[in-house]
PDB file of all heavy atoms in Angstrom:
ATOM      1  N   VAL A  14     176.811  65.389-105.064  1.00 98.00           N
ATOM      2  CA  VAL A  14     177.731  65.131-106.177  1.00 98.00           C
ATOM      3  C   VAL A  14     179.092  65.752-105.878  1.00 98.00           C
ATOM      4  O   VAL A  14     180.134  65.107-106.051  1.00 98.00           O
ATOM      5  CB  VAL A  14     177.158  65.664-107.508  1.00 98.00           C
ATOM      6  CG1 VAL A  14     178.204  65.647-108.608  1.00 98.00           C
ATOM      7  CG2 VAL A  14     175.936  64.859-107.935  1.00 98.00           C
ATOM      8  N   ILE A  15     179.085  67.002-105.411  1.00 98.00           N
ATOM      9  CA  ILE A  15     180.348  67.688-105.117  1.00 98.00           C
ATOM     10  C   ILE A  15     181.127  66.942-104.034  1.00 98.00           C
ATOM     11  O   ILE A  15     182.330  66.708-104.170  1.00 98.00           O
ATOM     12  CB  ILE A  15     180.090  69.152-104.694  1.00 98.00           C
ATOM     13  CG1 ILE A  15     179.513  69.955-105.855  1.00 98.00           C
ATOM     14  CG2 ILE A  15     181.367  69.804-104.172  1.00 98.00           C
ATOM     15  CD1 ILE A  15     178.948  71.311-105.463  1.00 98.00           C
ATOM     16  N   VAL A  16     180.446  66.569-102.966  1.00 98.00           N
ATOM     17  CA  VAL A  16     181.116  65.890-101.848  1.00 98.00           C
ATOM     18  C   VAL A  16     181.668  64.540-102.296  1.00 98.00           C
ATOM     19  O   VAL A  16     182.827  64.206-102.018  1.00 98.00           O
ATOM     20  CB  VAL A  16     180.161  65.739-100.640  1.00 98.00           C
ATOM     21  CG1 VAL A  16     180.715  64.786 -99.605  1.00 98.00           C
ATOM     22  CG2 VAL A  16     179.877  67.101-100.024  1.00 98.00           C
ATOM     23  N   LEU A  17     180.869  63.744-102.999  1.00 98.00           N
ATOM     24  CA  LEU A  17     181.328  62.436-103.470  1.00 98.00           C
ATOM     25  C   LEU A  17     182.529  62.583-104.412  1.00 98.00           C
ATOM     26  O   LEU A  17     183.518  61.844-104.290  1.00 98.00           O
ATOM     27  CB  LEU A  17     180.190  61.698-104.172  1.00 98.00           C
ATOM     28  CG  LEU A  17     180.447  60.277-104.614  1.00 98.00           C
ATOM     29  CD1 LEU A  17     180.803  59.389-103.421  1.00 98.00           C
ATOM     30  CD2 LEU A  17     179.221  59.717-105.323  1.00 98.00           C
ATOM     31  N   ASP A  18     182.454  63.556-105.305  1.00 97.00           N
ATOM     32  CA  ASP A  18     183.552  63.793-106.237  1.00 97.00           C
ATOM     33  C   ASP A  18     184.822  64.205-105.497  1.00 97.00           C
ATOM     34  O   ASP A  18     185.892  63.641-105.719  1.00 97.00           O
ATOM     35  CB  ASP A  18     183.142  64.877-107.238  1.00 97.00           C
ATOM     36  CG  ASP A  18     184.246  65.225-108.210  1.00 97.00           C
ATOM     37  OD1 ASP A  18     184.687  64.320-108.950  1.00 97.00           O
ATOM     38  OD2 ASP A  18     184.681  66.386-108.226  1.00 97.00           O
ATOM     39  N   GLN A  19     184.713  65.185-104.611  1.00 96.00           N
ATOM     40  CA  GLN A  19     185.898  65.681-103.908  1.00 96.00           C
ATOM     41  C   GLN A  19     186.460  64.649-102.930  1.00 96.00           C
ATOM     42  O   GLN A  19     187.686  64.558-102.765  1.00 96.00           O
ATOM     43  CB  GLN A  19     185.574  66.994-103.185  1.00 96.00           C
ATOM     44  CG  GLN A  19     185.336  68.160-104.135  1.00 96.00           C
ATOM     45  CD  GLN A  19     186.538  68.454-104.997  1.00 96.00           C
ATOM     46  OE1 GLN A  19     187.617  68.730-104.489  1.00 96.00           O
ATOM     47  NE2 GLN A  19     186.358  68.418-106.315  1.00 96.00           N
ATOM     48  N   LEU A  20     185.605  63.851-102.295  1.00 96.00           N
ATOM     49  CA  LEU A  20     186.104  62.795-101.407  1.00 96.00           C
ATOM     50  C   LEU A  20     186.870  61.729-102.187  1.00 96.00           C
ATOM     51  O   LEU A  20     187.921  61.265-101.738  1.00 96.00           O
ATOM     52  CB  LEU A  20     184.959  62.155-100.620  1.00 96.00           C
ATOM     53  CG  LEU A  20     184.408  62.951 -99.453  1.00 96.00           C
ATOM     54  CD1 LEU A  20     183.206  62.226 -98.840  1.00 96.00           C
ATOM     55  CD2 LEU A  20     185.470  63.210 -98.398  1.00 96.00           C
ATOM     56  N   SER A  21     186.349  61.344-103.346  1.00 96.00           N
ATOM     57  CA  SER A  21     187.038  60.316-104.140  1.00 96.00           C
ATOM     58  C   SER A  21     188.400  60.828-104.618  1.00 96.00           C
ATOM     59  O   SER A  21     189.407  60.116-104.538  1.00 96.00           O
ATOM     60  CB  SER A  21     186.176  59.862-105.322  1.00 96.00           C
ATOM     61  OG  SER A  21     185.937  60.927-106.221  1.00 96.00           O
ATOM     62  N   LYS A  22     188.458  62.062-105.077  1.00 95.00           N
ATOM     63  CA  LYS A  22     189.724  62.636-105.537  1.00 95.00           C
ATOM     64  C   LYS A  22     190.678  62.861-104.355  1.00 95.00           C
ATOM     65  O   LYS A  22     191.886  62.631-104.471  1.00 95.00           O
ATOM     66  CB  LYS A  22     189.471  63.949-106.269  1.00 95.00           C
ATOM     67  CG  LYS A  22     188.706  63.777-107.570  1.00 95.00           C
ATOM     68  CD  LYS A  22     188.291  65.136-108.115  1.00 95.00           C
ATOM     69  CE  LYS A  22     187.497  65.027-109.380  1.00 95.00           C
ATOM     70  NZ  LYS A  22     186.996  66.339-109.836  1.00 95.00           N
ATOM     71  N   GLY A  23     190.130  63.317-103.238  1.00 93.00           N
ATOM     72  CA  GLY A  23     190.951  63.538-102.053  1.00 93.00           C
ATOM     73  C   GLY A  23     191.558  62.255-101.524  1.00 93.00           C
ATOM     74  O   GLY A  23     192.720  62.221-101.100  1.00 93.00           O
ATOM     75  N   TYR A  24     190.793  61.169-101.572  1.00 92.00           N
ATOM     76  CA  TYR A  24     191.300  59.875-101.121  1.00 92.00           C
ATOM     77  C   TYR A  24     192.461  59.414-101.999  1.00 92.00           C
ATOM     78  O   TYR A  24     193.478  58.933-101.494  1.00 92.00           O
ATOM     79  CB  TYR A  24     190.171  58.842-101.115  1.00 92.00           C
ATOM     80  CG  TYR A  24     190.606  57.481-100.634  1.00 92.00           C
ATOM     81  CD1 TYR A  24     190.994  57.293 -99.310  1.00 92.00           C
ATOM     82  CD2 TYR A  24     190.651  56.413-101.500  1.00 92.00           C
ATOM     83  CE1 TYR A  24     191.411  56.047 -98.852  1.00 92.00           C
ATOM     84  CE2 TYR A  24     191.061  55.165-101.059  1.00 92.00           C
ATOM     85  CZ  TYR A  24     191.446  54.992 -99.738  1.00 92.00           C
ATOM     86  OH  TYR A  24     191.860  53.753 -99.304  1.00 92.00           O
ATOM     87  N   LEU A  25     192.322  59.594-103.301  1.00 91.00           N
ATOM     88  CA  LEU A  25     193.416  59.225-104.207  1.00 91.00           C
ATOM     89  C   LEU A  25     194.656  60.070-103.948  1.00 91.00           C
ATOM     90  O   LEU A  25     195.776  59.547-103.933  1.00 91.00           O
ATOM     91  CB  LEU A  25     192.979  59.371-105.665  1.00 91.00           C
ATOM     92  CG  LEU A  25     192.005  58.313-106.155  1.00 91.00           C
ATOM     93  CD1 LEU A  25     191.457  58.686-107.513  1.00 91.00           C
ATOM     94  CD2 LEU A  25     192.658  56.963-106.198  1.00 91.00           C
ATOM     95  N   LEU A  26     194.481  61.364-103.758  1.00 89.00           N
ATOM     96  CA  LEU A  26     195.623  62.223-103.433  1.00 89.00           C
ATOM     97  C   LEU A  26     196.278  61.778-102.127  1.00 89.00           C
ATOM     98  O   LEU A  26     197.498  61.764-102.009  1.00 89.00           O
ATOM     99  CB  LEU A  26     195.187  63.682-103.310  1.00 89.00           C
ATOM    100  CG  LEU A  26     195.134  64.492-104.583  1.00 89.00           C
ATOM    101  CD1 LEU A  26     194.542  65.869-104.334  1.00 89.00           C
ATOM    102  CD2 LEU A  26     196.502  64.599-105.218  1.00 89.00           C
ATOM    103  N   TYR A  27     195.453  61.408-101.156  1.00 89.00           N
ATOM    104  CA  TYR A  27     195.987  60.947 -99.873  1.00 89.00           C
ATOM    105  C   TYR A  27     196.819  59.674-100.054  1.00 89.00           C
ATOM    106  O   TYR A  27     197.898  59.536 -99.485  1.00 89.00           O
ATOM    107  CB  TYR A  27     194.844  60.706 -98.882  1.00 89.00           C
ATOM    108  CG  TYR A  27     195.328  60.143 -97.581  1.00 89.00           C
ATOM    109  CD1 TYR A  27     195.926  60.971 -96.633  1.00 89.00           C
ATOM    110  CD2 TYR A  27     195.202  58.792 -97.302  1.00 89.00           C
ATOM    111  CE1 TYR A  27     196.395  60.451 -95.439  1.00 89.00           C
ATOM    112  CE2 TYR A  27     195.661  58.264 -96.116  1.00 89.00           C
ATOM    113  CZ  TYR A  27     196.259  59.099 -95.180  1.00 89.00           C
ATOM    114  OH  TYR A  27     196.722  58.589 -94.004  1.00 89.00           O
ATOM    115  N   LEU A  28     196.315  58.742-100.860  1.00 87.00           N
ATOM    116  CA  LEU A  28     197.051  57.495-101.096  1.00 87.00           C
ATOM    117  C   LEU A  28     198.401  57.755-101.763  1.00 87.00           C
ATOM    118  O   LEU A  28     199.377  57.069-101.486  1.00 87.00           O
ATOM    119  CB  LEU A  28     196.229  56.541-101.962  1.00 87.00           C
ATOM    120  CG  LEU A  28     195.003  55.910-101.311  1.00 87.00           C
ATOM    121  CD1 LEU A  28     194.236  55.076-102.338  1.00 87.00           C
ATOM    122  CD2 LEU A  28     195.386  55.058-100.117  1.00 87.00           C
ATOM    123  N   LEU A  29     198.457  58.748-102.638  1.00 84.00           N
ATOM    124  CA  LEU A  29     199.685  59.017-103.383  1.00 84.00           C
ATOM    125  C   LEU A  29     200.661  59.929-102.663  1.00 84.00           C
ATOM    126  O   LEU A  29     201.868  59.777-102.798  1.00 84.00           O
ATOM    127  CB  LEU A  29     199.346  59.619-104.752  1.00 84.00           C
ATOM    128  CG  LEU A  29     198.692  58.659-105.738  1.00 84.00           C
ATOM    129  CD1 LEU A  29     198.221  59.410-106.960  1.00 84.00           C
ATOM    130  CD2 LEU A  29     199.648  57.556-106.115  1.00 84.00           C
ATOM    131  N   THR A  30     200.150  60.904-101.905  1.00 83.00           N
ATOM    132  CA  THR A  30     201.028  61.902-101.303  1.00 83.00           C
ATOM    133  C   THR A  30     201.105  61.827 -99.789  1.00 83.00           C
ATOM    134  O   THR A  30     201.941  62.494 -99.178  1.00 83.00           O
ATOM    135  CB  THR A  30     200.569  63.327-101.690  1.00 83.00           C
ATOM    136  OG1 THR A  30     199.275  63.569-101.105  1.00 83.00           O
ATOM    137  CG2 THR A  30     200.523  63.511-103.187  1.00 83.00           C
ATOM    138  N   GLY A  31     200.214  61.060 -99.174  1.00 83.00           N
ATOM    139  CA  GLY A  31     200.189  60.987 -97.715  1.00 83.00           C
ATOM    140  C   GLY A  31     199.450  62.144 -97.071  1.00 83.00           C
ATOM    141  O   GLY A  31     199.413  62.270 -95.855  1.00 83.00           O
ATOM    142  N   GLY A  32     198.849  62.988 -97.859  1.00 82.00           N
ATOM    143  CA  GLY A  32     198.071  64.123 -97.366  1.00 82.00           C
ATOM    144  C   GLY A  32     197.145  64.611 -98.453  1.00 82.00           C
ATOM    145  O   GLY A  32     197.166  64.102 -99.561  1.00 82.00           O
TER     146      GLY A  32
END
Side-chain angles (χ1 to χ4, degrees):
V14 169
I15 294 167
V16 167
L17 185 60
D18 178 60
Q19 291 300 302
L20 284 176
S21 63
K22 294 170 182 175
Y24 181 67
L25 287 170
L26 274 174
Y27 176 78
L28 289 176
L29 290 172
T30 65

